[in-house]
Amino acid sequence: MPGGVFLQPNASDAVLCSLRWESNLPRFRVGAERNTSSMNRSRTVGVGLVAALSLALFPATSFAASSQTDSSSGDASITAPSNPSISEEDREAADAQQAEQDARAARPAPQLPPAPTPSAPSTQTPPLVTTQPDGSVGNDKVHILSLSGADCIVVESNGHFGIVDAGDDNDYPDGSDPRYPWRANIATWGQEDQVRPYLDSLGVNSSNLDFFIGTHPHSDHIGWADTLIHRYHPKHIYTPVYDDSYSVSDDVNPLWDNQKVYDDLVAAATWAQSAYGATFDQHVKPGQGDLIQMGDMLVQIIPLSPGEEYAHPGKLANTNLISYTAKITAHGRSAYLSADLESGEGKEDYVAGVVGHVDWLKAGHHGLSTSNSESFLDALSPSLVMNTGYEFQTPDRLGLPALRGRYEWFEAYSMRNAGIPALIGTFTPGGIARPHMNVGMGHTFGSTTPHTYWFYDGKPAVTRGWWKGFYDGWHYFDGSVSAVENGWVLDKGNWYWMDSTSNMAVNTWIQDGDKWYWVDGSGHMLRGGWHRIGGTWYYLTGSGAMATGWLNDRGSWYYLHSSGKMGQAWVHDGTGWYWMDPSSGRMDAGGWRNIWGSWYYLSGSGKAVEGWLLDRGSWYYMQPGIAQMRTGWINDGTGWFLLSNSGAMRSGGWVQDNGNWYWLDGNGKMRTGWLQTGGAWYWLSPDNGRMATGTLTVDGRASQFAPSGRWLGYA
């Protein structure tokens, strides 16, 4: 890891969730999906509260400057207790879960929900009242947990709590139950080890948890919901009706473990009805939705699919579009929890007309590019946006407005790495106060440069040092609001290369100008001497640049190809051939070498001789182009020469080869035509130099030659 790290990422973060691809852009989703038959709606109406109260509690107001919250207020990081003992409450929960599993063993076929009864458009149903408002300030909070790819949000007012989504758990279908087949990309890691300690630290228990909302049947939202219900006993439970038969399953919108997590939630809610009298509502009315009054906080549940028109076989194209979302209002301030709201099918336009302006926005669908359109952001005009996905998923539509100062922006992954379990906002008449946090790394997509920014208190800010992203590795800030791109960083004596998107390069070659450099798995640039990379030897200079061409290292010569690869065996440097020891790469030189069954002569410079070679009084011919020693007849371009089996050139008189006689001059060249020697004439074929015998027409006349080749005269 690079030196100077300011935030050390938790190594376990990489397995806190399973990563999923969704929609048209590569992106990850945690969890899965699920649904079942509808449940009858039940509701308790608060006594003495009139409709006018609900209208007075969420007027359209503008966001005021937030005030700083004291770190001692409980907004600091929460440490999970180690080795907690098993409480009686846990035992009861375990027993209840077993009973739930038994009750689920025979799941009936899904029943289509009845058509909702439309309410009069001019009236607003009074809210469900869990606790009466007392007007106190400072006790109304929203906690958005930093689960890095999953949702769990706690709303708090005057000592009472509501929970929206529960994150994922470790319970997933393994294929053993035919109702819940194994499917690729099913979530296999949950966040209960983060959610449970945080809820316990707030003091959430069976007496003060007023409601739970499971927004939709994806495991990154309701995977842990069944356990949460058993442990904390919410008085009112909400989730939309679902069954796998409703969904159109494809590569973009697969079913994953939707049905299982949904069935688990429904089974737990059914148990809660009988065990302690909880209400279970799966038919939140369309339009303005349902209202819950909890202390000074008004919770408005807004369904994305009015009238549950999706609840027909093969009708539901995207399970995210049936989400229950929630608008939270207190002291004239508001936050919108958008679940996995997407821009498809006009859902964002629909929501914008219902919700209006809010001060806070939990970004739709973890900040993915299929959500949070410009028109939607314009309509809600939030002052702060919280992204529960990974920082690299943030599209330009979120990142760029944040850079322009349009709103404050936070994302869960960096908060998680910084040990901050949740972004906590306290509702006051003057604004929504929150703790000051030096955390948050944001990226922009496309051709925008720079690509990576640091945020302090949700705004671009100057920082220094290393910061780690979830997916794209390490980034370095050198006293700027943006990370270094396309350049070297020197840190504690080591050089690091930051690529065009500001990611630290690892285990790769870097081209900088006309030079090449290697960075290892830690991002360190290797320098000085021999390095074995990918099974090949390279020599890196003191500057780290890869060497090429001839290299003298401690008295030995080596040849490095243009790729930097050390030459072994035969190499050609453009001027000739050199023999490099196959094991060490050292150049050989000086004399004869038998290599792979052929003879070569290496000069003192190491270059293999080509052409004629005079060695110890004998001439040898080394084949041009390959430098191999030749034997037998060769033609050097000037004539024919005969080389013995030793390679030495024959010369000076008659020689016999394969039963034929030839005459070689003193320089070894084969003679042709008439030859006079020893007082006699001989005829040597102009075509091949062979001595003639018998009768042969020469120069147009028949001549007689003795068996010895001597000319006897004309025939």
Side-chain angles (χ1 to χ4, degrees):
M1 159 181 323
V5 177
F6 287 87
L7 294 180
Q8 293 293 333
N10 190 336
S12 65
D13 282 350
V15 296
L16 294 180
C17 53
S18 66
L19 305 179
R20 300 233 174 115
W21 294 103
E22 269 188 75
S23 189
N24 299 322
L25 184 76
R27 62 215 181 273
F28 294 112
R29 189 183 75 75
V30 183
E33 314 180 295
R34 200 79 54 219
N35 267 220
T36 35
S37 60
S38 64
M39 304 294 296
N40 292 327
R41 175 183 172 193
S42 65
R43 176 185 316 266
T44 304
V45 179
V47 179
L49 189 65
V50 297
L53 177 61
S54 65
L55 297 175
L57 286 175
F58 54 101
T61 56
S62 60
F63 184 88
S66 63
S67 59
Q68 181 171 349
T69 302
D70 193 326
S71 61
S72 65
S73 64
D75 295 344
S77 62
I78 304 298
T79 301
S82 58
N83 299 320
S85 60
I86 299 176
S87 65
E88 185 62 31
E89 188 178 53
D90 289 340
R91 291 191 182 94
E92 293 177 356
D95 292 340
Q97 285 180 308
Q98 183 59 53
E100 169 199 329
Q101 293 172 2
D102 294 340
R104 270 199 338 250
R107 174 177 165 253
Q111 301 294 318
L112 297 181
T117 302
S119 56
S122 61
T123 61
Q124 174 70 58
T125 303
L128 167 70
V129 179
T130 63
T131 56
Q132 297 287 346
D134 62 11
S136 59
V137 176
N139 298 316
D140 305 291
K141 300 177 180 179
V142 171
H143 309 247
I144 303 178
L145 274 64
S146 53
L147 299 184
S148 304
D151 276 12
C152 180
I153 302 164
V154 182
V155 296
E156 174 186 4
S157 182
N158 300 337
H160 285 254
F161 299 90
I163 298 176
V164 181
D165 286 331
D168 216 329
D169 64 0
N170 295 322
D171 180 20
Y172 58 91
D174 60 7
S176 60
D177 189 334
R179 297 174 299 171
Y180 312 120
W182 168 260
R183 298 186 177 102
N185 297 319
I186 283 178
T188 58
W189 294 284
Q191 294 96 10
E192 60 259 45
D193 60 336
Q194 301 170 48
V195 174
R196 177 172 174 168
Y198 190 81
L199 298 182
D200 291 345
S201 72
L202 296 179
V204 178
N205 56 54
S206 59
S207 66
N208 60 22
L209 181 57
D210 290 5
F211 66 86
F212 170 75
I213 301 171
T215 60
H216 63 291
H218 284 165
S219 67
D220 56 327
H221 293 259
I222 65 167
W224 198 62
D226 57 332
T227 305
L228 184 148
I229 292 170
H230 284 289
R231 177 171 175 79
Y232 298 104
H233 297 185
K235 299 177 181 63
H236 306 281
I237 303 169
Y238 302 84
T239 201
V241 173
Y242 174 81
D243 191 272
D244 274 351
S245 66
Y246 301 162
S247 296
V248 178
S249 180
D250 55 32
D251 292 338
V252 176
N253 301 292
L255 296 176
W256 290 307
D257 52 349
N258 300 5
Q259 194 67 63
K260 183 179 187 306
V261 296
Y262 173 81
D263 286 351
D264 286 349
L265 190 159
V266 170
T270 303
W271 167 85
Q273 287 178 301
S274 61
Y276 61 87
T279 65
F280 184 26
D281 193 342
Q282 294 193 272
H283 301 285
V284 172
K285 62 180 176 293
Q288 294 294 320
D290 288 358
L291 301 174
I292 303 172
Q293 182 73 56
M294 185 180 72
D296 294 299
M297 188 171 283
L298 186 67
V299 180
Q300 182 182 6
I301 306 175
I302 304 170
L304 298 187
S305 290
E308 298 174 347
E309 72 273 11
Y310 64 88
H312 301 281
K315 180 73 172 181
L316 181 58
N318 186 341
T319 308
N320 293 315
L321 299 178
I322 71 172
S323 295
Y324 282 0
T325 66
K327 181 178 181 180
I328 313 299
T329 305
H331 305 291
R333 303 295 172 182
S334 58
Y336 180 57
L337 313 178
S338 60
D340 280 359
L341 170 65
E342 296 189 328
S343 56
E345 299 185 10
K347 297 301 183 183
E348 286 190 338
D349 293 337
Y350 164 73
V351 164
V354 176
V355 174
H357 164 72
V358 295
D359 300 293
W360 275 31
L361 171 66
K362 190 224 65 98
H365 205 177
H366 314 291
L368 294 177
S369 60
T370 54
S371 305
N372 311 293
S373 63
E374 289 289 347
S375 60
F376 179 69
L377 293 173
D378 288 341
L380 270 63
S381 60
S383 297
L384 181 145
V385 176
M386 169 74 175
N387 175 21
T388 57
Y390 308 96
E391 90 291 332
F392 76 94
Q393 291 182 279
T394 303
D396 289 345
R397 65 186 64 175
L398 288 179
L400 295 181
L403 295 176
R404 295 194 296 266
R406 178 171 169 181
Y407 45 69
E408 295 176 307
W409 181 81
F410 292 89
E411 54 82 22
Y413 180 76
S414 292
M415 291 174 56
R416 193 78 236 159
N417 274 356
I420 302 171
L423 179 62
I424 306 170
T426 302
F427 290 68
T428 72
I432 302 180
R434 56 164 182 79
H436 291 279
M437 294 186 292
N438 184 29
V439 61
M441 193 160 56
H443 295 272
T444 58
F445 286 165
S447 60
T448 304
T449 300
H451 291 85
T452 306
Y453 295 83
W454 186 256
F455 290 81
Y456 175 79
D457 265 356
K459 299 289 186 180
V462 170
T463 192
R464 291 183 179 273
W466 293 98
W467 299 89
K468 190 169 188 314
F470 173 80
Y471 179 76
D472 50 4
W474 290 93
H475 306 264
Y476 188 81
F477 294 83
D478 190 16
S480 173
V481 300
S482 59
V484 177
E485 296 182 0
N486 276 324
W488 293 102
V489 167
L490 178 63
D491 182 55
K492 297 184 177 180
N494 289 308
W495 288 96
Y496 305 84
W497 177 259
M498 316 310 293
D499 68 17
S500 60
T501 60
S502 82
N503 293 298
M504 182 188 77
V506 295
N507 287 325
T508 190
W509 287 102
I510 304 298
Q511 185 177 19
D512 185 17
D514 61 349
K515 303 293 186 182
W516 287 90
Y517 304 82
W518 176 261
V519 292
D520 63 15
S522 299
H524 300 162
M525 182 183 74
L526 300 186
R527 292 181 287 174
W530 292 102
H531 297 273
R532 191 173 180 87
I533 301 170
T536 299
W537 286 99
Y538 299 84
Y539 190 91
L540 306 178
T541 67
S543 69
M546 180 189 74
T548 60
W550 287 105
L551 169 73
N552 190 298
D553 181 41
R554 290 170 288 186
S556 296
W557 285 97
Y558 301 84
Y559 185 77
L560 302 160
H561 296 284
S562 60
S563 65
K565 179 180 179 180
M566 182 184 74
Q568 295 169 289
W570 287 110
V571 301
H572 199 284
D573 71 344
T575 66
W577 288 98
Y578 297 81
W579 177 252
M580 322 302 291
D581 184 87
S583 59
S584 68
R586 295 186 182 93
M587 184 192 75
D588 197 0
W592 290 100
R593 299 289 187 276
N594 188 306
I595 300 171
W596 299 332
S598 297
W599 285 95
Y600 303 83
Y601 192 91
L602 307 179
S603 67
S605 68
K607 183 185 290 188
V609 174
E610 300 180 32
W612 288 106
L613 165 70
L614 179 64
D615 181 49
R616 287 171 286 186
S618 295
W619 286 96
Y620 301 83
Y621 191 75
M622 318 306 288
Q623 182 66 40
I626 60 175
Q628 278 184 1
M629 184 193 78
R630 292 289 305 275
T631 60
W633 289 102
I634 63 101
N635 191 321
D636 71 345
T638 65
W640 287 94
F641 300 82
L642 181 62
L643 307 172
S644 67
N645 290 337
S646 68
M649 183 188 74
R650 305 275 301 270
S651 64
W654 291 106
V655 297
Q656 188 179 36
D657 182 56
N658 290 329
N660 297 305
W661 287 94
Y662 303 85
W663 179 269
L664 304 177
D665 289 342
N667 63 3
K669 184 182 291 187
M670 180 189 75
R671 286 284 301 274
T672 61
W674 288 108
L675 168 70
Q676 186 182 29
T677 181
W681 288 94
Y682 299 84
W683 177 252
L684 305 171
S685 173
D687 296 327
N688 53 34
R690 292 173 184 169
M691 182 191 75
T693 60
T695 301
L696 185 70
T697 299
V698 179
D699 298 332
R701 299 182 65 181
S703 294
Q704 268 309 108
F705 298 93
S708 66
R710 184 167 59 94
W711 183 61
L712 301 177
Y714 295 110

